[in-house]
Amino acid sequence: MIDGKRTVDDTLFRETPDGPVLLGTRCDDCGGHTFPAQSGCPRCTGSSMTEVPLSPAGTLWSWTVQGFTPKPPYRGGSAYEPYGVGYVHLPEQLIVETRLVESDPARLAIGMPVRMVLVPFRDDEHGPVHTFAFERATDD
Ligand SMILES: [Zn+2]
């Protein structure tokens, strides 16, 4: 459980006083970050990685709208609705592939501020299972 919600994988998250954030790793040798957490650094091949909570806010680096049901192993349920997919640039100089809460292309723009939220992803026999997504961090 993260923030009182069941998730697809609790190891992706860390709870903080300000809410749930993504859990990544920082390389002790070069300072590079990864998400999800990894045991080795893809940048310098170092093997000393420290788990760190990542910033919940970033900017949209690139995006698209998934307008049709993805091929298996997509498990998002049968009631398909288009959703945004994006790459979010975090202050840790890391780009995270993510779902976007916004699916209207007119309301998505490269460089816009976004923040991490937990969203229902699919249902199982116990109810909704959540994953992370990023939503607009501005209300305009
Ligand atoms: Zn490294």
Side-chain angles (χ1 to χ4, degrees):
M1 299 280 274
I2 298 292
D3 198 28
K5 302 179 174 84
R6 293 187 309 127
T7 75
V8 291
D9 183 353
D10 284 357
T11 66
L12 295 175
F13 306 98
R14 171 71 50 86
E15 296 204 66
T16 78
D18 297 323
V21 297
L22 298 176
L23 181 66
T25 42
R26 182 183 59 232
C27 175
D28 294 336
D29 295 322
C30 75
H33 287 77
T34 70
F35 175 80
Q38 293 185 23
S39 58
C41 178
R43 207 158 86 177
C44 75
T45 71
S47 59
S48 182
M49 304 291 284
T50 302
E51 289 190 344
V52 290
L54 298 174
S55 170
T59 56
L60 192 57
W61 184 76
S62 186
W63 61 270
T64 188
V65 173
Q66 179 75 35
F68 55 88
T69 306
K71 294 175 182 167
Y74 176 76
R75 293 184 300 162
S78 55
Y80 184 75
E81 291 181 22
Y83 60 90
V85 178
Y87 290 91
V88 170
H89 186 245
L90 297 180
E92 291 85 356
Q93 301 304 315
L94 177 68
I95 290 174
V96 173
E97 183 178 4
T98 179
R99 279 185 166 237
L100 299 174
V101 171
E102 184 61 65
S103 61
D104 178 356
R107 291 172 56 81
L108 290 165
I110 289 172
M112 77 182 208
V114 289
R115 65 187 162 219
M116 202 279 284
V117 291
L118 290 175
V119 296
F121 176 59
R122 59 183 163 85
D123 289 303
D124 65 15
E125 65 273 24
H126 304 294
V129 179
H130 294 75
T131 189
F132 64 92
F134 279 75
E135 66 176 8
R136 297 163 59 92
T138 53
D139 296 325
D140 57 348

